[in-house]
C-alpha cells in the first residue's frame, strides 16, 4: 500500500514534461524512491483559491476515487498551493472531498505559503499584472499551433541564457519555470500548454486575494480541521 502525495503548484505554476517544471521535477523522484505515489496537480495558474481547490479535489477523486485499499493521502502545496490544500480540508468551506477520501487525508504540508498575505501581491496588483497576463495568454493561445510551439521551444532553448538575463529579478523564477516547461514540452503536451494559456484571461483574481488585507478574513473563514496534521515550512 503506497501512500499518495499530491503536489500542488503555486501562483503561475505550469506543468512541464516531468511535472511542474522548476520545483516538482526534483521532488517527485525522491518521494517516489521513498515509497510514495506522486501526483502533480494542474490548477488554474492565476485563479482564486476556491476555483483552484476544485481542480485539486477533482484530481484527488480521479486518482484515488476508485481504489479501495485505504492508502493514506498527503497534500503538499508550494506557495499558493498551500492555501488550496487548507481550503479543501477546512470544515467551513463548500469545496469538499467525498468523506471516504477525506478520511484518508493524513497531512497538509505548506511550503513558503503566504498564510498572512504578501506585499508582492500588492505590488503586482498595482501594476495590473493579471490584466497583462490575460492579454498575453489570449494572444498566445490563438497563436499557439503545434508548428509555432515547436519553433518557440527551439527559440527559447537556443536563447535561454539571454532571456534569463533580461527578465526582471522579481519575476525571474516564475517565468523561468514557464519557459522551462515550454522547452520540455512535446506535441503530446501542447494541448495542456494551450489550456494553461487559455486559463490566464478566463480565471483570474489571485493577486487581489493574496494581499495582506484580504488574508485576515480568509483565515477567519477558512478554519483548520482540528483532526488534521498541518506542517508549514518557511523559505
Amino acid at each position: 500500500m503506497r501512500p499518495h502525495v499530491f503536489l500542488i503548484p503555486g501562483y503561475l505554476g505550469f506543468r512541464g514534461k516531468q511535472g511542474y517544471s522548476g520545483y516538482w521535477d526534483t521532488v517527485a523522484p525522491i518521494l517516489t524512491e521513498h515509497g510514495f505515489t506522486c501526483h502533480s496537480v494542474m490548477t488554474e495558474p492565476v485563479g482564486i483559491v476556491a476555483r483552484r481547490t476544485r481542480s485539486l479535489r477533482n484530481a484527488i477523486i480521479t486518482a484515488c476515487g476508485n481504489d479501495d485499499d485505504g492508502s493514506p493521502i498527503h497534500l503538499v502545496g508550494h506557495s499558493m498551493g498551500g492555501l488550496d490544500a487548507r481550503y479543501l480540508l477546512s470544515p467551513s468551506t463548500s469545496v469538499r472531498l467525498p468523506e471516504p477520501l477525506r478520511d484518508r487525508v493524513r497531512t497538509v504540508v505548506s511550503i513558503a505559503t503566504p498564510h498572512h498575505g504578501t506585499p508582492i501581491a500588492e505590488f503586482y496588483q498595482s501594476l495590473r499584472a493579471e490584466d497583462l497576463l490575460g492579454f498575453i495568454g489570449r494572444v498566445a493561445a490563438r497563436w499557439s499551433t503545434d508548428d509555432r510551439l515547436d519553433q518557440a521551444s527551439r527559440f527559447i532553448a537556443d536563447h535561454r541564457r539571454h532571456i534569463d538575463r533580461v527578465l526582471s529579478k522579481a519575476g525571474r523564477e516564475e517565468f523561468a519555470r514557464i519557459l522551462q516547461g515550454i522547452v520540455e514540452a512535446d506535441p503530446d503536451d501542447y494541448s495542456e500548454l494551450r489550456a494553461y494559456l487559455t486559463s490566464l484571461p478566463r480565471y483570474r483574481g489571485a493577486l487581489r486575494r493574496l494581499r495582506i488585507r484580504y488574508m485576515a478574513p480568509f483565515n477567519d473563514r477558512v478554519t483548520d480541521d482540528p483532526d488534521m496534521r498541518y506542517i508549514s515550512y518557511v523559505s
Side-chain angles (χ1 to χ4, degrees):
M1 184 171 64
R2 292 171 64 92
H4 296 271
V5 175
F6 287 84
L7 302 170
I8 314 159
Y11 188 82
L12 279 179
F14 173 68
R15 184 164 55 188
K17 184 63 178 175
Q18 301 300 323
Y20 274 91
S21 185
Y23 45 85
W24 297 138
D25 288 359
T26 54
V27 172
I30 295 172
L31 292 173
T32 301
E33 288 177 6
H34 283 76
F36 294 93
T37 299
C38 294
H39 310 271
S40 294
V41 181
M42 189 69 176
T43 59
E44 289 77 5
V46 296
I48 62 174
V49 168
R51 181 163 192 93
R52 290 165 53 95
T53 303
R54 292 187 184 96
S55 296
L56 171 59
R57 177 192 60 190
N58 294 339
I60 296 173
I61 293 172
T62 299
C64 302
N66 293 322
D67 65 37
D68 55 2
D69 63 358
S71 52
I73 296 171
H74 305 276
L75 307 183
V76 178
H78 172 256
S79 190
M80 192 176 178
L83 301 179
D84 301 337
R86 283 181 51 202
Y87 195 95
L88 180 64
L89 274 301
S90 173
S92 58
T93 61
S94 58
V95 184
R96 299 183 62 80
L97 282 169
E99 283 304 316
L101 287 176
R102 171 66 184 76
D103 292 342
R104 291 167 55 183
V105 180
R106 300 288 185 266
T107 311
V108 172
V109 180
S110 61
I111 304 169
T113 293
H115 294 292
H116 299 286
T118 170
I120 296 175
E122 194 81 47
F123 171 73
Y124 282 114
Q125 176 73 9
S126 69
L127 298 178
R128 302 189 65 174
E130 286 186 354
D131 291 339
L132 177 60
L133 284 170
F135 172 76
I136 294 172
R138 191 177 294 111
V139 171
R142 293 192 177 190
W143 175 88
S144 57
T145 63
D146 284 4
D147 287 344
R148 286 171 174 168
L149 286 171
D150 281 335
Q151 294 171 14
S153 177
R154 290 195 297 270
F155 178 86
I156 293 168
D158 292 343
H159 297 85
R160 177 63 185 275
R161 180 168 57 89
H162 304 292
I163 293 171
D164 287 346
R165 193 162 56 207
V166 300
L167 288 173
S168 68
K169 184 175 181 180
R172 186 174 299 153
E173 184 179 355
E174 290 82 358
F175 282 108
R177 291 182 188 132
I178 297 171
L179 293 177
Q180 189 63 31
I182 295 172
V183 169
E184 294 176 355
D186 60 29
D188 292 336
D189 304 311
Y190 288 162
S191 60
E192 186 171 271
L193 176 57
R194 278 188 282 268
Y196 175 91
L197 294 170
T198 302
S199 73
L200 291 175
R202 292 182 62 192
Y203 308 119
R204 290 183 279 173
L207 279 181
R208 179 170 168 269
R209 306 290 183 90
L210 290 173
R211 292 184 290 176
I212 293 172
R213 73 186 79 172
Y214 280 87
M215 286 307 298
F218 176 92
N219 289 323
D220 289 340
R221 182 168 58 90
V222 182
T223 56
D224 289 344
D225 184 334
D227 298 322
M228 183 60 56
R229 179 175 61 171
Y230 293 89
I231 302 171
S232 182
Y233 290 97
V234 178
S235 63

